[in-house]
C-alpha cells in the first residue's frame, strides 16, 4: 500500500470507478479535479450496516442478540468475546470502549505512534477515567445545523469528576488476550503484561448519564462530589466540530444521481426505469 497515493481514472459505466489493485488498500476517495477536496472514503467492497460508524468504515458492526437476555444483564459478554476473538484477524489493537467514551491523548507524538511503541509482551493498556456529567438525552433526530451545534456533547457537557481508576477502560491486543471482562482483559497469554497508562499520557473522557434509574445509575457515589469545568484542546475541538458537521452533511445530504448527469448513451440504452433517476427540477412526488 502506498499512503496518500493518487491516480487519474474514469467513471464508467455510470457510477463505477475503475481502481488499480494495490495490496492492503481497503478504502478509496474520489475528486473530480485537482483543486476539489476529496470526498468521503468508501470501502472498496460495500457492505450495508445499520450503525453509522460502521457504514462510514470506521468500525465493525455486530448486533447483540436479545435472546441472551434470558441469562442476566451481563448477557452481552457472550458476543463481546466473539467480537474480541474475530478482531485478532484484522486488528493489532482494539479500543474496548462505549460510544459515549473518547480517548484523550496528551503524550508525545500521536496516539498511533504510542501504540506502536509498546513492547511485544504488552497485551493491554489500561486508562484512567475522567467522567463528564451528561444530564440530558441526545436528540433522536437531526433537524438543522444550529441545533446540532448546541447538542454536541463535547461542547454542551464539561462538568467533570476527578480522574479515577474506577471502571477502567483498555486498549487490547486481541492476539495476546484470551478473555475479556467488561472493558478490560481477564486472562492473557503466559508472559503477557498489562500496563496502567499514566494520566499525563492519556485518559478516557466518559460522557456519563446521571439517570439514577439506569444501569449503575448511582455511579456518582464512587466520586468525591467535587466537579470542575474541563474542555478539549481548543484546536482539536474546532477540528472536531467541523468533522462532525461534515459527517452529518454527508449522511443527510446524500442524493441519487440525476438523470441529466447520466451520459446519454447509457440513458438511452438502459432507460429511466432501470436507472431509477430523477431530473433536477422534479419534486419528490413526481
Amino acid at each position: 500500500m502506498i499512503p496518500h497515493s493518487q491516480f487519474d481514472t474514469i467513471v464508467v459505466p455510470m457510477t463505477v470507478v475503475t481502481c488499480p489493485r494495490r495490496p492492503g488498500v481497503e478504502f478509496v476517495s474520489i475528486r473530480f479535479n485537482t483543486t476539489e477536496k476529496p470526498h468521503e472514503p468508501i470501502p472498496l467492497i460495500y457492505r450495508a450496516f445499520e450503525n453509522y460508524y460502521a457504514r462510514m468504515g470506521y468500525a465493525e458492526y455486530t448486533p447483540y442478540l436479545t435472546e441472551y437476555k434470558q441469562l442476566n444483564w451481563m448477557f452481552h459478554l457472550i458476543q463481546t468475546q466473539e467480537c474480541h476473538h474475530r478482531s485478532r484477524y484484522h486488528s493489532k489493537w482494539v479500543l474496548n470502549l462505549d460510544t459515549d467514551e473518547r480517548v484523550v491523548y496528551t503524550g508525545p507524538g500521536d496516539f498511533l505512534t504510542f501504540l506502536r511503541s509498546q513492547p511485544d509482551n504488552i497485551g493491554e493498556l489500561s486508562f484512567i477515567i475522567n467522567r463528564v456529567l451528561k444530564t440530558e438525552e441526545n436528540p433522536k433526530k437531526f433537524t438543522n445545523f444550529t441545533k446540532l451545534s448546541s447538542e454536541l456533547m463535547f461542547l454542551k457537557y464539561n462538568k467533570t469528576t476527578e480522574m479515577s481508576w474506577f471502571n477502567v477502560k483498555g486498549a487490547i491486543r486481541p492476539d495476546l488476550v484470551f478473555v475479556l471482562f467488561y472493558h478490560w482483559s481477564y486472562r492473557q497469554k503466559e508472559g503477557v503484561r498489562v500496563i496502567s497508562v499514566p494520566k499525563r499520557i492519556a485518559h478516557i473522557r466518559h460522557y456519563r448519564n446521571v439517570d439514577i434509574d439506569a444501569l449503575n445509575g448511582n455511579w456518582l457515589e464512587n466520586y468525591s462530589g467535587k466537579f470542575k469545568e474541563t474542555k478539549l484542546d481548543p484546536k482539536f475541538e474546532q477540528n472536531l466540530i467541523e468533522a462532525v458537521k461534515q459527517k452529518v452533511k454527508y449522511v443527510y445530504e446524500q442524493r441519487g444521481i440525476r438523470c441529466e448527469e447520466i451520459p446519454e448513451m447509457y440513458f438511452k440504452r438502459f432507460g429511466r426505469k432501470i436507472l431509477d433517476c430523477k431530473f433536477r427540477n422534479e419534486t419528490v412526488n413526481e
Side-chain angles (χ1 to χ4, degrees):
M1 181 175 64
I2 307 174
H4 308 296
S5 61
Q6 54 184 313
F7 54 89
D8 293 330
T9 186
I10 57 174
V11 181
V12 63
M14 293 181 286
T15 57
V16 178
V17 178
T18 302
C19 302
R21 288 189 175 185
R22 299 192 178 187
V25 174
E26 297 180 0
F27 294 84
V28 62
S29 298
I30 62 172
R31 60 181 179 180
F32 296 97
N33 56 61
T34 56
T35 60
E36 183 182 25
K37 182 180 179 181
H39 292 263
E40 288 289 339
I42 58 175
L44 292 178
I45 300 177
Y46 178 76
R47 298 170 62 188
F49 297 96
E50 295 179 10
N51 182 279
Y52 165 71
Y53 290 102
R55 188 172 63 80
M56 293 295 292
Y58 297 146
E60 184 174 354
Y61 172 77
T62 301
Y64 281 101
L65 303 180
T66 55
E67 57 263 31
Y68 291 134
K69 287 184 177 180
Q70 298 178 36
L71 301 177
N72 59 33
W73 67 272
M74 295 190 293
F75 74 94
H76 63 284
L77 289 178
I78 296 175
Q79 287 178 276
T80 297
Q81 305 305 325
E82 190 268 343
C83 180
H84 165 68
H85 284 286
R86 280 190 297 108
S87 67
R88 68 177 54 185
Y89 298 103
H90 57 67
S91 299
K92 183 174 182 178
W93 288 97
V94 175
L95 280 169
N96 191 7
L97 304 177
D98 294 324
T99 56
D100 57 358
E101 297 166 337
R102 307 288 185 271
V103 176
V104 179
Y105 182 74
T106 52
D110 56 42
F111 187 56
L112 186 58
T113 301
F114 174 70
L115 291 177
R116 289 172 174 169
S117 69
Q118 300 306 310
D120 291 337
N121 68 329
I122 301 303
E124 177 188 347
L125 301 173
S126 295
F127 301 105
I128 196 169
I129 299 293
N130 190 204
R131 284 188 164 177
V132 184
L133 276 66
K134 183 175 178 292
T135 56
E136 299 177 19
E137 293 291 328
N138 293 331
K140 296 185 181 299
K141 294 183 178 181
F142 169 74
T143 53
N144 55 62
F145 282 99
T146 300
K147 183 67 173 177
L148 172 68
S149 298
S150 66
E151 292 292 343
L152 291 176
M153 285 198 301
F154 57 90
L155 296 180
K156 186 174 183 178
Y157 306 109
N158 293 290
K159 182 182 290 187
T160 58
T161 65
E162 71 273 20
M163 291 192 183
S164 171
W165 289 102
F166 179 74
N167 280 344
V168 300
K169 306 296 169 75
I172 309 294
R173 277 279 303 269
D175 59 327
L176 301 181
V177 170
F178 289 125
V179 182
L180 299 181
F181 187 72
Y182 295 120
H183 297 279
W184 57 89
S185 63
Y186 180 74
R187 181 69 181 271
Q188 307 84 20
K189 287 185 176 181
E190 184 176 356
V192 171
R193 297 290 182 262
V194 174
I195 288 181
S196 296
V197 178
K199 62 182 180 182
R200 70 176 184 277
I201 300 295
H203 67 275
I204 303 298
R205 189 173 175 88
H206 185 183
Y207 295 88
R208 187 66 160 85
N209 73 70
V210 293
D211 182 2
I212 193 65
D213 295 323
L215 181 65
N216 293 328
N218 62 338
W219 64 269
L220 276 170
E221 296 176 3
N222 298 293
Y223 292 84
S224 67
K226 297 179 181 179
F227 308 105
K228 63 179 180 179
E229 293 287 320
T230 63
K231 301 195 69 173
L232 299 174
D233 174 78
K235 183 178 179 180
F236 175 79
E237 184 178 86
Q238 190 59 44
N239 290 338
L240 187 56
I241 292 172
E242 294 304 316
V244 171
K245 288 182 178 179
Q246 288 299 318
K247 294 297 184 294
V248 172
K249 184 177 180 180
Y250 176 79
V251 171
Y252 284 92
E253 294 188 3
Q254 290 193 67
R255 62 172 178 82
I257 189 170
R258 296 189 177 107
C259 295
E260 55 263 51
E261 295 172 325
I262 299 175
E264 185 178 1
M265 60 180 292
Y266 297 116
F267 195 83
K268 289 182 177 180
R269 172 67 178 83
F270 296 102
R272 182 177 178 181
K273 185 175 182 180
I274 292 179
L275 296 173
D276 191 26
C277 64
K278 286 185 172 60
F279 287 98
R280 184 184 301 273
N281 295 325
E282 283 185 302
T283 63
V284 176
N285 295 325
E286 288 183 326

